[in-house]
Amino acid sequence: MPPFPHRALRALLALCTAAGLASLTAPAAHASPGSGPTAVVAMGDSYISGEAGRWLGNSLTNSGSRNGTDRAWTGSAYDPSKVYGATAGGCHRSDVSEVRSAGPIASSLINLACSGATTANVFRASQGGQAFKGEAPQADQLAAVAAANDVELIALSIGGNDLGFGDIISTCATDYIVWYSYCHDDQQAAVDAKIDGAMAAVGRSVDEIRAVMSAAGYAAGDYRIVLQSYPSPIPRAAENRYAESGWARTNTGGCPFWNADSDWARDSLVPQIADRLKGVATAKGVQFLDLRDALQGREVCAKASKQVTSTVPPSATTSEWARWIDSQSTQGLVQESMHPNAYGQQALGRCLALINAVPTGNRSCRNTAGTGASGMYLTTG
C-alpha cells in the first residue's frame, strides 16, 4: 500500500469527527506538522530573493526619484528598507520578489532566499551547511516553516553563485571597459571547470530540502519542489540598441559588453546552465521552470525596450525589466546590477503562479511583447 499523505489523513480525521468519531482525532495541541496555513516558499539566491526590486526600469537621472524609477525615494532621501525591509544591504528580499508577486496562491508566501547565496547556504548546518549574512542555513529555516505551515510548493533558484555568475559579469564588463578584450573564451573554460561540481551541489540542495520536509512529517506527495533556471539580463548583439563601438553601451545603456560576449552569454552560457539544471531536476524527480527567455526583449539595452526619461515614464510595457550596470555607482548598490528589477520580479512571480497551477511536468515561461506581467505564459518543455 502506498504511504498515506498526512494531508489526506487530516481530511479523513476531520470527516470522522463530523461523524461523531472524535476519539480518532489528535488533540489540537499536538496538531501534525503542516497543518497550519498553506504556504509557498522561495529558497536560493538573488534571482529569487528579489534583488533589484527597488527599480522600475532604468533612468540616467541621478537625483530625486530618478524619473520615478527609484522606489526607495522618500521625497527627501533614499530608504532602501521601503523595498527590502530589514534585509536592505543584505539578502535583499524585496516586496516584489517572485514569491511575493505570485498573487494569492497560498495563505503564506515565504521568502527564505538571500542575495549571494550558494548551495552551501542551503544545506542544513548539521550537514555542513553555512550561515550567511547573519542567518541560519536556509534548510534549517525551512524546518521551522514546515512545522508551522502546510507547505505546498518550494521554488528553488540556486547554483549561479557556485559558478561565479557575478564574477563572470564583472570580468566581461571590465574586459569591455578597460582591456578591450573578449571574456567569453576564458570564462567559458572557467564555467566548464566548475559546472559538474555546481550541479552536484544543486542536486544535494534538493536532497536537503526533502530531508527537512520528511523530518517534519511530510510525505513525498504532500508538496512540490520547482527548480528554476536563470533569465538572461542582456540581449543578443543584434537586439542591442547601442552600437558596439564608443561609450554608449557603458555610459548610456549600462550594458558594457562586446557583441561576441553578449551572444555567448545569451545563447550559450544561459542555455548551458538551464539545460544542466533541467538535468538535475529530471534526475531528482522535481519540476523544472525554465526562465532563460523570460526577459526576451525586456533586457538591458534591448531594442524593444526604452529607458525612462522625464517624458517617458516607467512602464511595464515599455521599460527594461532588468537592472543595468551603474558603472559610476551613482544609483543604489552595485550588487543590484544584472538582476530582474521590479517589473522583472513581477513577471517571474506570474511564472510561479502559472506553474503552481500545473502539478506535473517541466515548463518554460516567456513574456508577450507589449504587455506586463499578465502577459507571461508557459510552454511545455
Side-chain angles (χ1 to χ4, degrees):
M1 173 181 290
F4 203 61
H6 72 274
R7 189 177 296 137
L9 177 59
R10 291 199 302 273
L12 177 61
L13 293 177
L15 182 62
C16 291
T17 300
L21 301 177
S23 62
L24 292 178
T25 61
H30 301 285
S32 61
S35 61
T38 59
V40 171
V41 182
M43 298 180 67
D45 55 27
S46 56
Y47 271 73
I48 198 169
S49 75
E51 182 71 84
R54 173 177 173 174
W55 305 96
L56 290 168
N58 300 305
S59 168
L60 291 169
T61 299
N62 291 326
S63 60
S65 69
R66 280 114 182 193
N67 291 323
T69 61
D70 192 347
R71 301 173 60 231
W73 176 244
T74 66
S76 59
Y78 301 105
D79 180 10
S81 68
K82 286 182 59 180
V83 176
Y84 301 116
T87 68
C91 286
H92 273 193
R93 298 185 184 113
S94 70
D95 57 354
V96 290
S97 66
E98 182 176 315
V99 70
R100 293 280 297 277
S101 293
I105 59 175
S107 298
S108 298
L109 303 173
I110 300 171
N111 189 355
L112 302 180
C114 188
S115 181
T118 66
T119 52
N121 306 128
V122 173
F123 307 156
R124 291 167 292 171
S126 64
Q127 301 301 310
Q130 301 171 7
F132 188 57
K133 296 186 177 178
E135 297 186 0
Q138 291 178 35
D140 291 327
Q141 296 182 55
L142 176 64
V145 171
N149 299 272
D150 182 5
V151 176
E152 297 182 329
L153 186 148
I154 299 166
L156 176 64
S157 170
I158 201 69
N161 291 319
D162 294 67
L163 290 170
F165 198 65
D167 291 337
I168 293 171
I169 291 173
S170 177
T171 297
C172 289
T174 300
D175 282 355
Y176 179 87
I177 298 171
V178 178
W179 302 116
Y180 303 98
S181 62
Y182 293 131
C183 72
H184 62 270
D185 44 3
D186 58 328
Q187 292 305 301
Q188 182 63 66
V191 169
D192 290 342
K194 295 178 180 178
I195 198 162
D196 287 346
M199 293 302 114
V202 172
R204 184 182 165 194
S205 296
V206 173
D207 293 340
E208 287 285 294
I209 290 171
R210 281 182 166 151
V212 167
M213 297 300 287
S214 178
Y218 289 72
D222 290 334
Y223 68 98
R224 284 188 284 151
I225 298 174
V226 175
L227 178 63
Q228 59 188 54
S229 65
Y230 299 91
S232 174
I234 60 173
R236 300 174 179 89
E239 296 167 356
N240 195 310
R241 63 177 179 264
Y242 300 103
E244 182 179 32
S245 60
W247 289 101
R249 286 190 180 181
T250 302
N251 294 335
T252 305
C255 56
F257 306 103
W258 295 109
N259 284 345
D261 291 338
S262 298
D263 286 343
W264 166 73
R266 179 65 181 84
D267 290 327
S268 182
L269 177 62
V270 169
Q272 178 186 13
I273 296 172
D275 289 343
R276 290 298 300 270
L277 286 169
K278 183 177 181 179
V280 173
T282 299
K284 294 297 179 180
V286 301
Q287 277 186 288
F288 177 63
L289 178 59
D290 193 341
L291 299 176
R292 74 181 77 183
D293 297 318
L295 303 183
Q296 173 62 38
R298 316 304 186 97
E299 308 100 330
V300 177
C301 296
K303 287 180 178 178
S305 297
K306 303 176 182 177
Q307 284 187 349
V308 178
T309 69
S310 59
T311 58
V312 180
S315 168
T317 61
T318 62
S319 300
E320 295 166 332
W321 284 10
R323 182 63 179 159
W324 62 8
I325 294 179
D326 178 13
S327 61
Q328 303 301 316
S329 299
T330 55
Q331 299 182 8
L333 297 178
V334 174
Q335 74 180 64
E336 296 172 303
S337 301
M338 297 288 106
H339 288 83
N341 61 23
Y343 293 132
Q345 295 291 339
Q346 290 163 349
L348 299 184
R350 178 57 180 164
C351 295
L352 179 59
L354 291 170
I355 200 166
N356 180 68
V358 180
T360 60
N362 299 329
R363 297 293 188 273
S364 296
C365 194
R366 295 179 169 88
N367 73 78
T368 302
T371 68
S374 62
M376 304 303 293
Y377 64 97
L378 298 181
T379 60
T380 301

